[in-house]
Every structure is written in structure tokens, then in C-alpha cells.
Amino acid sequence: MARITASVFTSHVPAIGAALDQGKTAEPYWHKVFAGYEFSRQWLSENRPDAIILVYNDHATAFSLEMIPTFAIGTGERFQPADEGWGPRPVPVVQGHPELASHIAQSVIQQDFDLTIVNRMDVDHGLTVPLSLMCGEQHPQTGAWPCPVVPFAVNVVQYPVPSGRRCFELGRAIRRAVESYDEDLKVQIWGTGGMSHQLQGARAGLINAEWDNRFLDRLIDDPDALSRLPHIDYVREAGSEGIELVMWLIARGAMGDAPPRVRHRFYHVPASNTAVGHLILENA
Ligand code: DHB
Ligand code: FE
């Protein structure tokens, strides 16, 4: 039987990818951000999973206003890093896990969640920046990400967005799906995006460190109550793009019911226009 061993939570700021790709990680501005992930890279190399379910949002790259799936699971063999306007990031192609992804689709849809099944899509910074942060630089041709990845895209860009509660319940359904997969796999689930940030309008640049840290506390200790937070609270307190945080509740919902072991916690302001938050939780 497969099982979820750990969850990782991290922001996905595109400028972090650019800093890595342009060799700027040692600059004073960026050094503080990357220092917060040194432990994480070591941890991942020592706790390498057989597959990662990577919950992220597409930023009008693979999807557009023409088609907006609320939840989309990547069932393909591989996913190409997208060209987001400056050429694709020089990172390896993402290898999928079609068997596990198809099983999750079957199980989660039978548990009454509607997933869009996507056999072909390009993946943007929402997915590649968390991989880079956790795995370090990878040569685009000769390097490889440490394991297959199941991309799981959530619409948090175009309203209506899914509620935190639905995301949390979806995480629970994903856990049941993984636990009913025959092969003995160690699976991690990553929740990405956030923390507080607003990229446009009168409140552009908004960051709310107090609210973010309370969110981290509650994500660890009281996720069930946290999942009941209405979406307007995210927008008011954490800015319009702070709504990306509902994706963290999918990963948290997929963890066991026992209190998790906190392996790492990091918070830093700012990276570009965003507060960076990061957690590693292991299942007891
Ligand atoms: C920034 C953050 C994001 O989450 C994003 O998708 C794009 C830009 C930023 O802080 O610049
Ligand atoms: Fe984003």
C-alpha cells in the first residue's frame, strides 16, 4: 500500500526562480531566502519519496480564460516547463506518474470530487519554483528532479475559487486514494503558493506577517478550524493573491489525523512582492 509520509508547504515566487537561474543566490537580498531552504534540501535528499503530489496553481499559462478547471490532475508521462514570457526556465522536464495519477483520479472522482484529467500541459513557476527551492539547481539536459511528480492544479486566479473547506476535504480524499494504491510507495504532498501578497490595485505590496504566522500555527495545530476560514478573510488579511494559501489546506488534509512532527519552519519578508513561508511536516 502507498502512504503519505510528509507534506511540504512553500511559496512559489517567480523571482526566486530567476535568482536561481541567473546565479544570484549569494546576493544579500536572496541569500536570506535560500538559507531558509538549506535544511529542506538536506532533508529531501535523506527522505526521498517515490512520488510527489505537487499542488500548485497555474498562472494563465496552461489554462486561460477560455477554460478554467477548478481542480486538474496531470496524468501525463511528462510535463514541459512553460515559457512564461522570458523563455522556459532552464530546468529539467517534469516526469509524471501516470499510474498513480490515474488511480488518484479514479478514487477521488468516485469520492464525489470533480477533477479535470489533463494528459498534456506545460507547468509554470507555481510548480517549478518549489521544485527548485527544495532540490537546488538542476541542469536542464543532464539533471533530473529526484522523483516523478503528479501536478495537481487548483484555480485560485479566476473567481469563483474553491473554499478552504473543500480543499481540506479534497486532501482527505487524496489521502484515501493514496492509501488504496497497491504498490508500496512513499508519497509526499506539497502545498504551494502564498503567503500574503497582492500584486495589483490600491493595496499592491500588501504583506501581513502577523496573519501569516498565525496561519502557520493553525495549519500545524488546528487545520480543521482553519479550513473554515471564508475566502474573503484571505483577501482582506493576506491580499488578493493570499488566496493561493487555500492550496496548503489540500496538502494538510492529506496528512494523518495524529498531530504531525514539525521538521522545519521558515518565514521571511520579502521576496519580490511576497512573504515567503515554508513548513515541512512529517506524519507521526
Ligand atoms: C509574485 C508572486 C506570485 O505568487 C506570483 O505568482 C507572481 C509574482 C511576486 O511576488 O512577484
Ligand atoms: Fe502565484
Side-chain angles (χ1 to χ4, degrees), residues 23-212:
K24 293 185 180 165
T25 57
E27 288 183 3
Y29 181 89
W30 289 112
H31 175 70
K32 296 190 197 96
V33 176
F34 291 104
Y37 288 82
E38 265 162 36
F39 170 89
S40 314
R41 288 203 275 274
Q42 183 65 29
W43 174 86
L44 187 63
S45 67
E46 287 164 8
N47 295 275
R48 193 169 151 152
D50 299 308
I52 296 166
I53 302 168
L54 207 157
V55 182
Y56 75 108
N57 69 293
D58 177 78
H59 301 74
T61 302
F63 306 121
S64 69
L65 291 180
E66 289 177 8
M67 185 169 39
I68 307 164
T70 303
F71 301 117
I73 186 165
T75 42
E77 296 271 359
R78 63 189 65 82
F79 305 91
Q80 207 71 42
D83 185 340
E84 300 180 54
W86 295 271
R89 289 194 59 216
V91 291
V93 169
V94 176
Q95 300 298 327
H97 198 309
E99 298 79 16
L100 178 63
S102 308
H103 170 81
I104 293 171
Q106 159 80 16
S107 169
V108 167
I109 290 170
Q110 288 295 316
Q111 293 178 68
D112 304 335
F113 281 91
D114 303 321
L115 303 186
T116 300
I117 293 162
V118 186
N119 287 314
R120 187 174 164 183
M121 69 176 163
D122 292 349
V123 287
D124 71 10
H125 65 271
L127 185 132
T128 63
V129 166
L131 280 175
S132 293
L133 276 169
M134 293 297 295
C135 309
E137 281 154 277
Q138 306 288 328
H139 189 278
Q141 268 86 46
T142 54
W145 301 114
C147 67
V149 173
V150 176
F152 197 104
V154 180
N155 167 44
V156 288
V157 169
Q158 175 63 36
Y159 278 79
V161 298
S163 68
R165 188 67 197 163
R166 187 155 179 78
C167 288
F168 190 64
E169 294 289 359
L170 171 60
R172 288 175 163 170
I174 291 173
R175 184 207 314 170
R176 290 188 286 268
V178 168
E179 290 177 352
S180 64
Y181 188 68
D182 276 345
E183 209 184 325
D184 211 9
L185 298 184
K186 288 190 297 252
V187 179
Q188 288 180 10
I189 184 161
W190 296 8
T192 69
M195 294 202 84
S196 57
H197 63 304
Q198 171 146 345
L199 301 177
Q200 72 271 295
R203 298 199 309 162
L206 177 144
I207 285 187
N208 187 344
E210 197 181 321
W211 190 90
D212 285 340

Side-chain angles (χ1 to χ4, degrees), residues 221-243:
D221 293 332
D222 197 11
D224 194 294
L226 180 63
S227 74
R228 294 174 198 277
L229 204 66
H231 96 271
I232 193 69
D233 286 31
Y234 289 85
V235 177
R236 261 192 207 120
E237 300 292 337
S240 51
E241 277 65 53
I243 191 64

